[in-house]
Amino acid sequence: MSLLTIRNLSVRYPGAATQAVRDASFTLEAGGSLGIVGESGSGKSSIAGAILNFLGADTRIDGQILFEGTDLVPMPARQRRPILGRRIGSVFQDPFTALNPALRIGAQIAEPMIRHLRMPKPEAAARAVALLHDMGMQRPAEVAQAFPHQLSGGMKQRALIAAALACDPPLLILDEPTTALDVTVEAQILQLLARLREQKRIALLFISHNLGIVRKLCDNVAVMYASQLVELGDARRVLDRPLHPYSKGLLASRPPLEAASRGSRLPSIPGQMPQYPAPEQGCVFLARCAFADPASGCATPQSLATAEDGHAVRCWQANRLGPWPRLREMLSHGPTFTAGDALLNITDLRKSYAGGRSWQLGWKRGPVLRRRAAQVPAVNGISLSVSPGEVLGLVGESGCGKSTTGRLALRLTEPSGGSVEFDGADLALMAPATLQAFRRQAQIVFQNVGSSLNPRLSVGEALERPLALFDLVPAEQRRARVEELLEMVRLPRDYRTRYPHQLSGGERQRVAIARALATEPRFVVCDEPVSALDVSVQAAIVNLLADLRDRFGLAYLFISHDLAVVAQLSDRIAVMYRGTICETGPAAEVLRPPWHPYTRMLLDAVAEEIDPAVEPPAPQAAHGSGGCVFAARCPHHLGAICDREAPPLKPMGGGLSIACHLDLPPVAPVRNSTSPDAVTVR
Amino acid sequence: MAIYVLRRLGAVLATLVVMSLLVFLSTHALPSNTAALILGQYSTPETRAALEHKLGLDLPLTVQYWRWASALLQGDLGASLVMERPVAPMLWDAFGRSALLAGCTMAVVSTVGVGMGIVAAVWRGRWPDHGISMFAYAGISVPEFYWGLVLILVFGSTFHLFPTSGAATLADGFGTMVAHLVLPVVTLTLTLLAHVSRLTRSSMLEVLDSMYVRVARARGFPERVVILRHALRNALLPAITILAQDFGFLIGGIVAVEAIFAYPGLGRLLIFSLERQDLPLMQAAILVLTAVYCLANLGADLLYGVANPRIRYAGAVE
Ligand code: SF4
Ligand code: SF4
């Protein structure tokens, strides 16, 4: 008997026209692991919701969910509760809201044991501390006494995993457990899960949009597209040699962690996933499939059939298709940038924000009590430059100050120190008229397109605004210019009349890019422009940004937490940690040794394999001010010098600079040629 | 936290000083003549002038304020002009009775109001929710004197269940004391329930929708535990603030209700002093009410700080 068997599961939300999950079947053996991958809206989380019974009473669930031989679907909630508490653990995406802010961590972990196992309170509390220790927490007793707001995101997620495992369940359901976390923290959590799986023989049902993670952690994988499972089988085999065209496209559109030449583009899947796939109208992937052949079998609904490889595929052509077509390399690409006179020059830039307030007794003609706001540096003395037509990638984890740097570069916020020069003129000293001219030439594209487009303006109106504001195009020609802009970002002309809510995420980002281009800028800050998008849409936007760069000779400051996306587009990369630059140089050099210990950690975090035996390095004592910013987490910490002295950026040769006291080997000479494209490895 | 409390206490003091100034000035702006009041209608200009001199009423306002305020600080609230007795003992008696009324009302409002809010949220959109919101709106949409009169008519005059006027002390027996409180408390409660119950309902709905409540359900805890242990604690925080705000309404309501039920409390004393233009009594009563309001707000803020772990435990655990 399998641990979990899902048979013909269908989920339909109240009022929805179509099913969120359609006829899904799979099994999970005891101690096994199954990853369900798909884009947002594919229905993958609804499967977890159906098992955990939180879809609401009005949601229609058909089929069977056999857990340890009993069907959960017809079971009343009261009977299901003990199963949920004792036999199935669950961990959700957002650790920041999943812990109860009013209860201590220890109490939240002990509660399932007290309620379901009838364990006495002191015993449960002791076991909660032991569980926290198992999760790799440094001071478990202290953490057990803490409230959620006192913990970092990674620690919260560990505490949630501890609570999920409190009753030793044979099955753990994880719904995007690391998506809200930084990559290095994600790597630690994955390592923890791999270790727990090995030690406790827990079966994992792992739901994620991230193929790389699923490949690392799961034996089997199910790929979901538009409410249906489209491919199901051994994880390595499916992800290394996918058979379904959607799996092929999805894997191909993931940028490799390599510097790309200026001419290269990512393969991408055109269009987007239908939100309400109409049933019985042929293959669900038909509209986007590169191999579609409606004249033959594609026009009929596909069924999940076993292919040659042993995995089940929902495509009648599965056995005879080649790889997802790559785009031809762009042969003639735009002028490469000329190093020399920088377009944007940032020198010793600083920005502090008022942090937590504290009371202080001061002395000013008698004792006075005053509220002193601690100054927290977000950007702490960084220098960068961007040449005309050049793309500088800025990578770092959340809170490292990269977005603040982007806003400072455009003077959207005032620096606390240092200077930003554009075309040789200091932004801080610009007269209003010059500043207006600067605003025309320097634009920004944000991550959160949902909130950066005014919902009450049609696309055409949104695009006309900058034209009118800067008085660029006479009123009667504006419509033509808007259509031209839409064409530039590859949207149909009639999108002029649409409103943001009628657009998909990718389309909205295209409109935002078009709006930035409306003023014919020379420099664009792209602040996480693709982070909110699904992989298949992401690739198309990255390609678009590359095309625009080449066509108009645009310079970008490309900000992202995703090293692979940055590498795809950037000529040079700067790695940022806690407000300082720790490594900077040509993209290819940054990605190959020598590395700054932090860069190394970022690269390791996204590496293909994890070794459950390896313990992540224990964080050092919290760093004081003045030392290396990375000292607290550095695995190569050299002792006193790292805590005392901030390392300066040292040139390593080949244009690479690294800020570290370690005695790193110089950059190895590049084989064969000297042309800038030759360093890329494609 | 201790420093925070000190600072807030300082702010309360500052408010009181400002209020005392305002009270002093506004009562002096009243179109009345203290000496004439005391001497009655047969006074002559000469006798009035002599009395004014004796009372210090011919001194500059600043000096008068100084005298009044420093006496106040020594606990001397002056003497009532009309009753010709020291204000302080009269005031404290009345204050005690009003505090009892206010305390009972707050206790009923917070338990019943919060309870109604929870029930409405848990049965959202079904009949208990609709019933509660209709009841709450009926209470708030009519002023307290109307409810007072209705209750007097129904429970006092028709059924003779409860006394409709006056107050009783423990000496009269516990039952009698409570019986005298019932109608005034119910009247006040009716007008305050809506606010608390609506707010508890909406904050409860928000919390019930939160991720951690979903997590608690996914861990298979019974619904009772999910609501009372996981949701309610968090939903109550905003209710504390709202109850403090309601305290202001309550003070206003008490003045009206004491008048209707002839309840010998601070509100009734205030109205009496206003009618009779009894300046020292009026000043003292207004000041006491202000102080109570400020302290109640302070109390609510401190309670919020104690109940909210984010404020109590600020430091991070590494
Ligand atoms: S059935 Fe046709 S359209 Fe569907 S995935 Fe296969 S090849 Fe593509
Ligand atoms: S300076 Fe020291 S702490 Fe900082 S990265 Fe280098 S080795 Fe690590």
Side-chain angles (χ1 to χ4, degrees):
Chain A
M1 181 182 66
S2 310
L3 180 68
L4 178 72
T5 305
I6 304 279
R7 266 197 213 130
N8 308 103
L9 180 72
S10 292
V11 174
R12 187 196 290 261
Y13 289 109
T18 51
Q19 290 156 323
V21 177
R22 202 191 312 167
D23 201 20
S25 303
F26 58 84
T27 56
L28 176 59
E29 304 297 331
S33 56
L34 172 71
I36 302 183
V37 283
E39 294 172 78
S40 51
S42 61
K44 59 190 192 303
S45 290
S46 301
I47 293 185
I51 302 170
L52 296 171
N53 195 24
F54 60 61
L55 297 181
D58 302 331
T59 301
R60 196 172 152 171
I61 299 175
D62 294 310
Q64 284 181 312
I65 302 174
L66 294 168
F67 177 72
E68 296 183 321
T70 17
D71 188 0
L72 300 183
V73 174
M75 206 181 261
R78 183 177 295 273
Q79 257 176 25
R80 228 166 156 176
R81 273 185 209 129
I83 299 180
L84 288 183
R86 298 184 53 165
R87 310 295 296 162
I88 305 179
S90 48
V91 177
F92 300 94
Q93 172 169 0
D94 187 358
F96 300 90
T97 56
L99 283 163
N100 190 328
L103 300 175
R104 289 180 199 271
I105 300 291
Q108 300 194 44
I109 299 172
E111 194 171 358
M113 298 184 265
I114 297 169
R115 293 208 191 281
H116 294 301
L117 306 181
R118 307 258 161 248
M119 200 182 271
K121 266 193 186 167
E123 200 188 325
R127 212 176 110 67
V129 175
L131 274 165
L132 283 171
H133 179 78
D134 281 357
M135 300 303 129
M137 295 271 203
Q138 294 298 310
R139 275 164 298 186
E142 212 173 299
V143 172
Q145 284 303 310
F147 282 93
H149 69 270
Q150 296 173 284
L151 305 188
S152 66
M155 288 167 91
K156 283 183 186 152
Q157 197 60 301
R158 281 165 201 259
L160 283 159
I161 296 172
L165 297 180
C167 299
D168 264 326
L171 172 64
L172 186 59
I173 298 181
L174 302 123
D175 189 356
E176 304 260 12
T178 57
T179 306
L181 304 173
D182 281 324
V183 275
T184 55
V185 183
E186 170 176 86
Q188 291 168 7
I189 298 283
L190 293 178
Q191 192 130 37
L192 170 70
L193 289 170
R195 203 190 67 209
L196 290 171
R197 227 197 108 195
E198 205 131 287
Q199 285 173 356
K200 307 200 174 196
R201 305 268 314 134
I202 310 167
L204 301 183
L205 183 62
F206 193 94
I207 293 162
S208 178
H209 71 285
N210 188 327
L211 300 153
I213 295 181
V214 169
R215 189 181 183 282
K216 280 187 216 176
L217 203 61
C218 299
D219 304 333
N220 293 300
V221 64
V223 181
M224 253 189 122
Y225 181 78
S227 317
Q228 288 184 321
L229 295 183
V230 292
E231 185 160 3
L232 183 66
D234 178 84
R236 294 286 152 114
R237 256 194 260 162
V238 171
L239 297 177
D240 292 343
R241 284 199 54 238
L243 289 182
H244 193 280
Y246 174 64
S247 319
K248 288 177 196 242
L250 204 55
L251 279 156
S253 48
R254 202 163 54 115
L257 191 51
E258 299 166 347
S261 78
R262 284 211 143 208
S264 82
R265 296 291 181 268
L266 289 168
S268 71
I269 309 177
Q272 74 249 357
M273 194 173 71
Q275 219 163 7
Y276 304 108
E280 317 307 335
Q281 281 193 351
C283 170
V284 277
F285 193 51
L286 182 62
R288 301 173 72 189
C289 184
F291 311 106
D293 182 8
S296 329
C298 298
T300 53
Q302 305 293 307
S303 58
L304 209 57
T306 310
E308 280 169 1
D309 232 17
H311 36 125
V313 185
R314 197 184 289 275
C315 168
W316 70 286
Q317 300 202 75
N319 288 332
R320 49 175 148 116
L321 299 176
W324 189 262
R326 307 193 133 256
L327 297 178
R328 251 184 309 116
E329 297 263 311
M330 306 273 287
L331 292 177
S332 66
H333 48 82
T336 42
F337 63 95
T338 41
D341 286 349
L343 181 62
L344 181 85
N345 213 338
I346 291 176
T347 320
D348 196 29
L349 191 64
R350 286 162 199 280
K351 174 77 185 177
S352 315
Y353 288 108
R357 294 194 169 82
S358 60
W359 285 94
Q360 283 187 341
L361 197 59
W363 195 267
K364 192 182 176 188
R365 279 185 262 123
V368 283
L369 201 57
R370 61 167 169 248
R371 214 165 187 198
R372 164 71 62 87
Q375 293 289 305
V376 181
V379 174
N380 201 0
I382 66 170
S383 301
L384 293 170
S385 74
V386 183
S387 301
E390 186 189 30
V391 178
L392 174 66
L394 191 57
V395 268
E397 294 173 301
S398 56
C400 72
K402 56 190 192 302
S403 289
T404 308
T405 306
R407 287 202 303 276
L408 288 168
L410 295 183
R411 207 182 153 192
L412 298 177
T413 172
E414 297 296 324
S416 324
S419 69
V420 180
E421 282 172 22
F422 187 79
D423 235 357
D426 191 331
L427 292 193
L429 308 175
M430 273 187 186
T434 344
L435 191 64
Q436 176 85 349
F438 163 71
R439 296 239 176 274
R440 197 177 75 72
Q441 294 187 42
Q443 290 284 332
I444 188 164
V445 175
F446 292 103
Q447 167 177 11
N448 201 339
V449 269
S451 56
S452 73
L453 288 178
N454 185 338
R456 278 184 293 272
L457 291 187
S458 72
V459 169
E461 286 163 338
L463 294 180
E464 274 183 30
R465 280 235 163 149
L467 300 180
L469 192 67
F470 291 99
D471 207 10
L472 295 171
V473 181
E476 63 281 2
Q477 290 168 28
R478 278 189 200 139
R479 183 169 154 181
R481 172 73 177 143
V482 164
E483 286 176 351
E484 195 185 344
L485 284 168
L486 286 172
E487 217 143 81
M488 270 180 210
V489 295
R490 305 203 192 103
L491 286 175
R493 285 159 173 247
D494 57 12
Y495 268 46
R496 215 167 30 82
T497 53
R498 299 215 183 178
Y499 285 86
H501 71 267
Q502 297 170 305
L503 307 178
S504 71
E507 289 170 339
R508 260 182 261 167
Q509 197 57 291
R510 285 172 195 267
V511 173
I513 293 170
R515 189 178 53 178
L517 292 180
T519 61
E520 296 169 43
R522 296 160 68 198
F523 173 62
V524 180
V525 173
C526 303
D527 189 357
E528 301 264 16
V530 297
S531 303
L533 306 174
D534 281 314
V535 195
S536 71
V537 183
Q538 200 174 6
I541 299 287
V542 169
N543 287 346
L544 174 67
L545 286 169
D547 290 349
L548 295 169
R549 169 196 68 192
D550 292 347
R551 181 165 163 198
F552 300 108
L554 292 176
Y556 296 144
L557 178 62
F558 190 89
I559 300 168
S560 176
H561 70 282
D562 188 336
L563 202 45
V565 170
V566 168
Q568 180 63 31
L569 213 52
S570 304
D571 302 304
R572 284 192 301 127
I573 296 180
V575 182
M576 201 168 173
Y577 186 79
R578 283 217 192 168
T580 60
I581 302 288
C582 46
E583 173 162 5
T584 172
E589 296 302 339
V590 169
L591 293 174
R592 53 183 210 127
W595 290 302
H596 184 279
Y598 178 58
T599 316
R600 178 77 198 268
M601 194 180 266
L602 284 178
L603 288 166
D604 283 350
V606 288
E608 294 283 299
E609 308 290 331
I610 38 173
D611 182 355
V614 176
E615 272 292 318
Q620 316 275 324
H623 80 113
S625 56
C628 169
V629 284
F630 192 52
R633 285 172 66 193
C634 183
H636 304 287
H637 195 281
L638 292 173
I641 184 163
C642 294
D643 290 329
R644 252 194 349 258
E645 260 175 65
L649 270 172
K650 274 187 302 212
M652 309 296 296
L656 184 74
S657 303
I658 292 180
C660 178
H661 292 307
L662 279 181
D663 198 10
L664 296 162
V667 167
V670 176
R671 276 150 295 148
N672 52 60
S673 132
T674 49
S675 91
D677 279 354
V679 294
T680 56
V681 265
R682 281 315 303 271
Chain B
M1 189 78 187
I3 294 168
Y4 173 73
V5 175
L6 279 181
R7 190 184 73 111
R8 289 296 311 267
L9 274 176
V12 168
L13 277 181
T15 316
L16 284 180
V17 170
V18 172
M19 268 314 286
S20 74
L21 253 171
L22 283 177
V23 167
F24 182 80
L25 289 176
S26 60
T27 47
H28 274 269
L30 285 180
S32 81
N33 184 317
T34 312
L37 261 175
I38 295 175
L39 294 174
Q41 49 183 314
Y42 303 113
S43 62
T44 65
E46 290 75 39
T47 52
R48 285 204 294 270
L51 186 67
E52 272 176 4
H53 182 71
K54 192 175 146 215
L55 292 175
L57 292 176
D58 53 347
L59 292 172
L61 269 186
T62 45
V63 180
Q64 284 191 46
Y65 175 73
W66 179 250
R67 283 189 174 183
W68 176 71
S70 42
L72 207 63
L73 282 182
Q74 289 157 22
D76 176 9
L77 299 180
S80 161
L81 298 179
V82 180
M83 300 199 248
E84 296 176 0
R85 274 195 282 153
V87 167
M90 216 161 35
L91 201 67
W92 294 130
D93 281 355
F95 175 76
R97 285 189 287 268
S98 288
L100 181 66
L101 183 57
C104 292
T105 309
M106 279 320 264
V108 174
V109 167
S110 45
T111 47
V112 176
V114 167
M116 279 167 44
I118 297 171
V119 171
V122 172
W123 280 274
R124 170 194 201 170
R126 281 181 277 162
W127 67 264
D129 185 17
H130 299 307
I132 282 171
S133 70
M134 269 174 51
F135 180 70
Y137 282 129
I140 205 175
S141 50
V142 179
E144 48 282 86
F145 63 79
Y146 174 81
W147 285 127
L149 295 180
V150 169
L151 290 175
I152 288 177
L153 276 177
V154 176
F155 293 99
S157 312
T158 314
F159 296 112
H160 300 285
L161 279 175
F162 299 108
T164 57
S165 72
T169 60
L170 263 186
D172 306 318
F174 184 71
T176 327
M177 188 179 84
V178 172
H180 276 91
L181 280 171
V182 171
L183 291 187
V185 167
V186 170
T187 310
L188 285 169
T189 303
L190 278 178
T191 51
L192 292 176
L193 268 186
H195 209 189
V196 178
S197 66
R198 297 309 287 175
L199 184 103
T200 312
R201 177 184 182 270
S202 65
S203 74
M204 191 74 185
L205 280 179
E206 197 176 299
V207 170
L208 284 176
D209 218 33
S210 72
M211 199 59 207
Y212 54 84
V213 164
R214 179 189 273 198
V215 167
R217 290 206 173 112
R219 287 194 191 138
F221 299 152
E223 201 55 20
R224 172 182 49 86
V225 172
V226 170
I227 287 168
L228 296 181
R229 179 171 158 88
H230 289 265
L232 184 58
R233 277 172 185 246
N234 293 290
L236 277 185
L237 276 181
I240 293 176
T241 321
I242 246 357
L243 282 172
Q245 273 179 28
D246 277 354
F247 203 80
F249 293 108
L250 178 64
I251 290 178
I254 275 188
V255 175
V257 163
E258 288 185 354
I260 304 166
F261 291 97
Y263 188 90
L266 206 55
R268 195 141 171 269
L269 206 60
L270 182 65
I271 291 181
F272 174 82
S273 68
L274 285 169
E275 279 170 4
R276 302 297 188 83
Q277 304 202 343
D278 189 339
L279 285 189
L281 192 57
M282 198 189 304
Q283 290 167 338
I286 294 178
L287 265 187
V288 168
L289 285 180
T290 314
V292 167
Y293 183 67
C294 292
L295 289 174
N297 263 309
L298 174 62
D301 280 4
L302 296 184
L303 192 63
Y304 187 87
V306 172
N308 189 346
R310 277 170 194 275
I311 296 179
R312 217 169 2 137
Y313 304 93
V317 175
E318 293 257 338

